[in-house]
Amino acid sequence: MPSTPPTTLPSLPSSRSFPSRIGRDANSGYHAVPRRYRLHLSLPCPNCLQIAITHSLLGLEDTLPVVPLPAVPDRPDGGHSALHSLYEASSHRHPGPAVAPVLSDTWTGRIVTTHSSHILRDLARHFGDDARDRRPLLYPQDAEKEIQAVERLCADRIDHAAQVAGQARIDDAARHTALGSLLRVLGSLEWRLTHQEFVLGDQVTAADVRLWVALVQLDTVHRLHLDAAAVHRLAGHPHLWRYARRLAAHPAFGRHLDLDGIARRHHARCQGLEAAGAAVQILDWAVHIAGSAAAESARAATDGRTARPRPA
């Protein structure tokens, strides 16, 4: 059967020219120093959203500043003009687009890495050790294989399967197979979240960050190309979507969810037509984001009262 174009354009790959990592000491070349590095993120991008959530969960706002980028890249090649000079300084006549995410080094003015998986793990493992007891252990040593399995599951059997299921120009059998694979995974996660609070147990980990971003994409992007019956079947997993709703109300998650930006990014890249499922929203994300903002304001007010010095 001849190949057909996807419903949405595939994500632009991060450059493989910047494989450096943050190490624990000066001998690694790039060692963890407060305010030395910058994160350049476009929040509607799923990889950037994962990094932003991880950054907030770890409380790295003062340690590692974030430079926000527009929802839709402004260069014809799909890159960001704001990143062009960094790419040129790091790789003369760089052949690809200047895409996010980027971890840059202010000491050298160059890019450390554009690999989202490297950035996620280096943030968790090499920053904020002085307050480890107050921050979640996102990558427990005994859970690395399970986290990698969840990452593969989200990429292959949620993100990719949902994209294939929404393609208009493939045969019904391929679309049915992809939807069936997606529903089986959601059913497995539904069973798991019926019995525990988070994907790997009773504590939030990187697996929850990855799954939550996949669920956001499923409801805000992929369902637009599914029929209404398929979307109703996706919605028929109450524990899974209750989990998604609960995390959306968490300040480290909900505060970074740019619904308008996601819509603009999708429509700028989309090649397919909307289907009946576009009218069947699974979650009202805006309501839960508002709850997240209220929770964050209340926490800030509490912290302010706690920090206020007592009169002499």
Side-chain angles (χ1 to χ4, degrees):
M1 184 180 68
S3 61
T4 56
T7 300
T8 54
L9 290 172
S11 298
L12 289 168
S14 293
S15 169
R16 296 295 175 184
S17 302
F18 309 107
S20 299
R21 302 292 298 271
I22 302 295
R24 291 188 180 278
D25 54 54
N27 294 328
S28 68
Y30 294 108
H31 52 294
V33 176
R35 303 194 70 80
R36 172 177 173 177
Y37 303 98
R38 297 288 184 272
L39 281 169
H40 306 259
L41 304 177
S42 174
L43 292 179
C45 163
N47 288 337
C48 291
L49 180 56
Q50 286 185 72
I51 293 169
I53 294 167
T54 299
H55 182 269
S56 290
L57 284 170
L58 296 171
L60 299 179
E61 289 81 1
D62 294 330
T63 302
L64 182 54
V66 172
V67 180
L69 296 169
V72 181
D74 57 348
R75 292 178 66 88
D77 62 359
H80 291 275
S81 294
L83 296 176
H84 184 69
S85 60
L86 267 175
Y87 271 80
E88 281 295 307
S90 308
S91 175
H92 183 57
R93 295 185 180 277
H94 181 74
V99 297
V102 166
L103 176 66
S104 69
D105 176 21
T106 62
W107 290 6
T108 64
R110 295 185 176 185
I111 293 172
V112 178
T113 185
T114 56
H115 295 235
S116 59
S117 63
H118 291 177
I119 295 172
L120 288 164
R121 284 164 171 78
D122 288 349
L123 292 187
R125 291 171 176 163
H126 302 315
F127 288 92
D129 288 340
D130 58 333
R132 179 60 61 195
D133 59 329
R134 292 186 282 110
R135 293 172 184 167
L137 189 59
L138 297 180
Y139 291 90
Q141 289 185 351
D142 59 350
E144 179 63 32
K145 288 185 178 179
E146 289 183 276
I147 291 171
Q148 290 177 353
V150 172
E151 290 172 341
R152 289 193 298 270
L153 179 146
C154 289
D156 297 337
R157 298 190 59 195
I158 297 181
D159 297 339
H160 180 69
Q163 188 176 49
V164 172
Q167 290 181 23
R169 293 183 291 272
I170 63 172
D171 62 75
D172 290 341
R175 194 160 45 247
H176 178 77
T177 298
L179 180 61
S181 177
L182 172 60
L183 289 169
R184 284 192 295 274
V185 168
L186 297 186
S188 175
L189 291 166
E190 170 75 7
W191 180 88
R192 181 179 289 236
L193 291 167
T194 302
H195 300 89
Q196 59 196 44
E197 189 173 2
F198 298 103
V199 177
L200 301 186
D202 59 357
Q203 299 292 329
V204 65
T205 67
D208 297 289
V209 177
R210 180 64 182 92
L211 174 58
W212 188 77
V213 171
L215 294 175
V216 167
Q217 289 291 300
L218 186 58
D219 192 22
T220 62
V221 173
H222 296 306
R223 74 168 170 84
L224 303 180
H225 302 288
L226 298 171
D227 62 43
V231 177
H232 282 299
R233 294 177 72 185
L234 299 182
H237 300 85
H239 292 92
L240 178 64
W241 292 106
R242 189 176 302 123
Y243 158 88
R245 185 167 60 243
R246 176 164 49 85
L247 289 183
H250 189 298
F253 288 77
R255 65 180 291 196
H256 299 299
L257 190 52
D258 179 3
L259 296 171
D260 177 67
I262 290 174
R264 287 188 287 113
R265 181 179 187 270
H266 171 64
H267 290 301
R269 297 158 55 84
C270 178
Q271 291 181 337
L273 298 175
E274 286 193 351
V280 187
Q281 186 176 30
I282 299 176
L283 288 188
D284 188 344
W285 296 95
V287 169
H288 306 306
I289 293 172
S292 167
E296 188 169 17
S297 297
R299 186 180 64 177
T302 300
D303 292 345
R305 288 194 298 270
T306 303
R308 187 179 299 130
R310 296 181 180 179

